[in-house]
Amino acid sequence: MSRSTHLLARAMEVIPGGVNSPVRAFNAVGGDPPFIARGEGCEVVDVDGHHYLDLVGSWGPLILGHADTAVLGAAMAAASRGSSFGAPTEGEIELAEEIVARVPSVDKVRLCSSGTEATMHALRLSRGVTGRDLIVKLEGCYHGAHDGVLVKAGSGVATFSRGEATAQPGSPGVPAATAALTLVAPFNDPGAIRALLEAHDQQIAAVILEPVAGNMGCVPPAPGYLQELRRMCTDAGTHLIFDEVMTGFRVGRGSAQERFGVTPDLTCMGKVVGGGYPLAAFGGSAAIMDQLAPLGPIYQAGTLSGNPVAVAAGRATLRQLDDACYERLETLGDRLEEAIQPALTYHKCSMNRVGSMFTVFFRPTPPTRFDEVQQCDLEGFGRFFRAALNGGVYLPPSQYEAAFLPARLTDEQLDRIVDGLTSALVAAHVH
Ligand SMILES: *Cc1c(COP(=O)(O)O)cnc(C)c1O
């Protein structure tokens, strides 16, 4: 018996399903998850000594790979001065200044500890500022694990609940009354948003979306889509919230809003901004952000918000993400796509990619919305995933997730990824 198998059995005794976040259990793809012993640059090593090229990167944060020297040094130095004070520190200002300098729509930012908190606080802020209760979210977008956004959500919610009716809560325990405040529209369909804004005139506080969807697999916005949403929201007095928890500092120096040239009212950040430590943020114009307590009436708080160790890691990460780094990420993505495209076509699979974020889909044409992702051959994806893992390439264990290339990947490592994914496509189709 492998050590991972043994640890999974032991974990199951004391942790539900043996994991602390459901997709880690590999239910969607079959097989048991390897328990990870350590990360080394762009690889992870499991407790049985297997090495994998890591295209999960802790689900996005590890854009510089594992245990980056500068990030590690900054975190250790901060920890040695004390782990948490619940009082303001200089590092928080420096991280906030870096975020404000990069992200076009953000004048002021508040730090918190998870992407879930960032979207929860941003939505409350929009409701508080607009005095409206309804929100619109898009099918297949994931905004964390709080009640109001667990409706037609992507990521683990899509992975674990199949074929439920529209506008039903995505999980037992979400009150129907809460879900009823969340209206849902398909991604890449501006007409559906226009219809909702007209039908609920003066009642919709915010439209929240991932500007590049990553939690139904990678699905880019159609040309002009984000611009059209911006116009419609402005006309309706509705906030446009970009959930850039995944895309923030991943698809460009100033995030997706800079890449696509669209300015949201509020932006949620997480993952890369914390460099692998628990840190997230939300920000926007001073006029909106100053409505938060203590200046304004809208409450938001967190005991570990702006944690000094996480802040130090986030700063050390962002500082290294310069133009050369983003060029490298684009080059790596271009090369990967070009190299595996023939195999994808041959095996009737497809790929969506934005920079270093991508998904291989088990359907012949790349999906543009959630219902198209749901038509994928999930059994085929499971075989592909397991073959890739056996070949030393660690992909996210669900069709409804995006994979990430780390910036420090060498050309040799990229070649191994191409070979591994190409062989896995063959293996997925021989059964
Ligand atoms: C990961 C993710 C979240 C949730 O962040 P957590 O830190 O897991 O709470 C929210 N939105 C998007 C777009 C994400 O990718």
Side-chain angles (χ1 to χ4, degrees):
M1 202 199 260
S2 74
R3 207 164 135 60
S4 279
T5 309
H6 176 78
L7 288 179
L8 183 63
R10 192 174 136 206
M12 298 272 242
E13 297 292 319
V14 286
I15 300 171
V19 292
N20 283 307
S21 201
V23 282
R24 296 180 194 173
F26 280 25
N27 287 26
V29 288
D32 287 343
F35 275 62
I36 303 301
R38 64 184 187 277
E40 292 174 358
C42 299
E43 293 192 347
V44 285
V45 185
D46 73 14
V47 291
D48 295 294
H50 303 119
H51 288 244
Y52 308 94
L53 286 157
D54 182 14
L55 302 185
V56 178
S58 188
W59 302 86
L62 296 178
I63 196 164
L64 296 170
H66 294 273
D68 171 79
T69 314
V71 176
L72 182 63
M76 281 174 31
S80 71
R81 291 189 294 266
S83 58
S84 182
F85 309 109
T89 59
E90 189 170 350
E92 293 162 78
I93 314 172
E94 288 169 355
L95 180 59
E97 286 171 346
E98 178 79 35
I99 293 170
V100 168
R102 282 173 174 256
V103 185
S105 68
V106 175
D107 298 335
K108 289 195 177 183
V109 62
R110 180 95 12 118
L111 305 180
C112 53
S113 301
S114 71
T116 295
E117 284 175 65
T119 63
M120 185 179 78
H121 296 317
L123 287 166
R124 182 182 304 134
L125 181 54
S126 283
R127 283 173 160 148
V129 168
T130 60
R132 303 173 178 182
D133 283 346
L134 298 180
I135 59 166
V136 174
K137 80 172 286 292
L138 303 189
E139 282 174 19
C141 284
Y142 178 70
H143 304 296
H146 58 95
D147 285 357
V149 291
L150 287 185
V151 181
K152 277 278 174 177
S155 189
V157 192
T159 305
F160 288 96
S161 58
R162 287 193 195 148
E164 84 273 23
T166 310
Q168 293 294 307
S171 163
V174 175
T178 304
L181 296 176
T182 304
L183 310 172
V184 184
F187 195 76
N188 274 332
D189 181 352
I193 305 273
R194 184 176 302 109
L196 288 175
L197 288 170
E198 279 169 11
H200 304 272
D201 186 34
Q202 310 288 318
Q203 295 172 67
I204 298 177
V207 173
I208 184 169
L209 79 157
E210 299 174 64
V212 176
N215 287 289
M216 50 174 137
C218 178
V219 177
Y225 175 61
L226 298 175
Q227 285 79 358
E228 199 163 347
L229 288 189
R230 176 65 281 179
R231 279 193 296 276
M232 289 190 292
C233 285
T234 303
D235 291 347
T238 293
H239 282 176
L240 178 63
I241 304 179
F242 277 4
D243 179 354
E244 299 228 40
V245 169
M246 187 181 288
T247 54
F249 314 109
R250 163 63 65 182
V251 300
R253 198 179 174 281
S255 307
Q257 57 196 267
E258 179 193 53
R259 187 173 179 124
F260 294 97
V262 176
T263 307
D265 298 286
L266 285 171
T267 301
C268 305
M269 292 158 265
K271 299 196 168 116
V272 170
V273 77
Y277 292 76
L279 190 131
F282 63 103
S285 67
I288 295 177
M289 293 301 289
D290 285 347
Q291 298 295 312
L292 287 172
L295 290 181
I298 300 163
Y299 187 70
Q300 183 274 332
T303 300
L304 294 178
S305 290
N307 174 262
V309 182
V311 161
R315 278 176 55 225
T317 300
L318 292 188
R319 248 197 241 138
Q320 296 180 76
L321 299 179
D322 56 11
D323 292 341
C325 184
Y326 289 105
E327 270 168 40
R328 176 69 182 158
L329 287 166
E330 294 295 321
T331 304
L332 287 167
D334 284 344
R335 283 195 200 156
L336 172 73
E337 184 170 0
E338 202 180 318
I340 71 166
Q341 194 59 58
L344 291 172
T345 308
Y346 181 80
H347 292 293
K348 298 190 169 53
C349 290
S350 58
M351 182 192 240
N352 274 331
R353 180 182 69 83
V354 175
S356 58
M357 211 177 131
F358 72 95
T359 301
V360 170
F361 290 100
F362 270 64
R363 55 174 269 138
T365 53
T368 62
R369 39 191 273 172
F370 187 52
D371 52 2
E372 294 176 357
V373 180
Q374 288 178 306
Q375 292 158 10
C376 286
D377 170 10
L378 299 180
E379 298 291 325
F381 181 86
R383 291 190 297 273
F384 169 68
F385 168 85
R386 293 192 299 274
L389 192 71
N390 285 332
V393 180
Y394 189 92
L395 287 168
S398 166
Q399 178 70 92
Y400 298 99
E401 302 287 353
F404 306 98
L405 298 168
R408 300 265 166 77
L409 214 56
T410 64
D411 291 348
E412 182 270 331
Q413 287 173 319
L414 185 70
D415 290 345
R416 273 160 55 205
I417 290 170
V418 169
D419 289 348
L421 296 185
T422 307
S423 307
L425 281 169
V426 175
H429 289 86
V430 182
H431 60 277

